[in-house]
Amino acid sequence: MLQSLRHITNGIVQWAPSTKTFPTPLISLTRRLSDNSVVKKDEGPPSETAPFQESPPAASEEFDKLYKTVELEMRAYEPSVLKSYSWFTTTAAKELGIKVGECWAVKKPDHDRFSLLKSIHIYKKHQVQYEVRTYFRFAKFHCLTSSTADTFLEYIERNLPEGVGLKVTKVAIERLPDHIKAPTPMQLEQ
């Protein structure tokens, strides 16, 4: 489609008005592209008759990991920013259909205090004190697959505001190893 609009001359791309009008509006073109239709390199817009052919699933296909819980630890220097981001993560989880567990905040922030001299070498009587307060919030999400967890975590990490730190702890559900077997009735009697 764009091939009719540009001409390459001596390595310089020049755009020329096209006598043809676009066959379809841009919205329907993007809709058709997102419906998995195939577009070849030399062809124009995607055709309605060439749907994307999926290959059959492989026999050795791996399953998604299951996470019992995903816990987020959020820390920031501003409590209002932290509260807003906590609301954003829980709302995003509800929109994605993720079970939201408990969300809580530590009542008192973590205080780091520094005492420094005003002068570099002398006058110990003249000191300045600095304090850094770190606020914490926690949120738990239950019963996630690895693909859902990856999508959700990528989304909230991309929208992480400045000055907010995020720590993620995942608890995976694993199968029992093969060497562990269920107890036999004789073992239960003993």
Side-chain angles (χ1 to χ4, degrees):
M1 176 170 42
L2 292 177
Q3 296 293 333
S4 63
L5 294 178
R6 67 179 175 173
H7 302 287
I8 301 176
T9 310
N10 296 332
I12 301 172
V13 177
Q14 297 175 345
W15 295 95
S18 175
T19 56
K20 295 167 49 176
T21 59
F22 286 107
T24 55
L26 186 60
I27 295 171
S28 63
L29 176 64
T30 54
R31 188 177 308 120
R32 277 195 269 142
L33 285 173
S34 64
D35 290 340
N36 296 332
S37 57
V38 176
V39 178
K40 292 186 179 177
K41 194 171 189 178
D42 296 329
E43 290 182 8
S47 63
E48 297 289 338
T49 59
F52 177 71
Q53 300 294 328
E54 288 187 27
S55 60
S60 64
E61 189 175 304
E62 293 185 22
F63 295 106
D64 273 353
K65 267 189 173 181
L66 297 176
Y67 294 111
K68 183 178 179 182
T69 58
V70 173
E71 183 176 335
L72 301 180
E73 177 186 327
M74 299 165 272
R75 22 174 102 191
Y77 300 123
E78 281 292 321
S80 58
V81 172
L82 192 60
K83 185 176 181 182
S84 172
Y85 185 68
S86 175
W87 176 84
F88 167 75
T89 56
T90 54
T91 305
K94 289 175 187 174
E95 290 295 321
L96 289 172
I98 298 172
K99 291 182 186 176
V100 179
E102 48 185 328
C103 299
W104 72 96
V106 179
K107 290 192 179 188
K108 290 187 178 182
D110 185 30
H111 293 274
D112 289 332
R113 292 185 180 97
F114 304 101
S115 296
L116 300 174
L117 296 176
K118 280 186 179 180
S119 174
I120 297 174
H121 303 291
I122 54 174
Y123 305 115
K124 188 162 176 120
K125 292 180 185 176
H126 306 287
Q127 291 187 357
V128 178
Q129 289 189 339
Y130 297 99
E131 180 179 76
V132 177
R133 296 179 186 177
T134 308
Y135 297 88
F136 295 90
R137 284 187 89 83
F138 297 90
K140 281 191 178 182
F141 305 99
H142 300 287
C143 303
L144 287 107
T145 61
S146 65
S147 59
T148 306
D150 291 342
T151 304
F152 173 64
L153 292 175
E154 181 181 343
Y155 179 66
I156 63 171
E157 284 172 10
R158 284 181 184 248
N159 292 303
L160 192 67
E162 292 181 10
V164 176
L166 182 66
K167 179 181 171 186
V168 179
T169 307
K170 299 177 185 177
V171 178
I173 299 173
E174 299 284 335
R175 286 187 176 186
L176 287 175
D178 293 335
H179 65 277
I180 298 177
K181 297 178 183 175
T184 61
M186 283 187 88
Q187 291 173 340
L188 291 174
E189 291 175 2
Q190 293 178 353

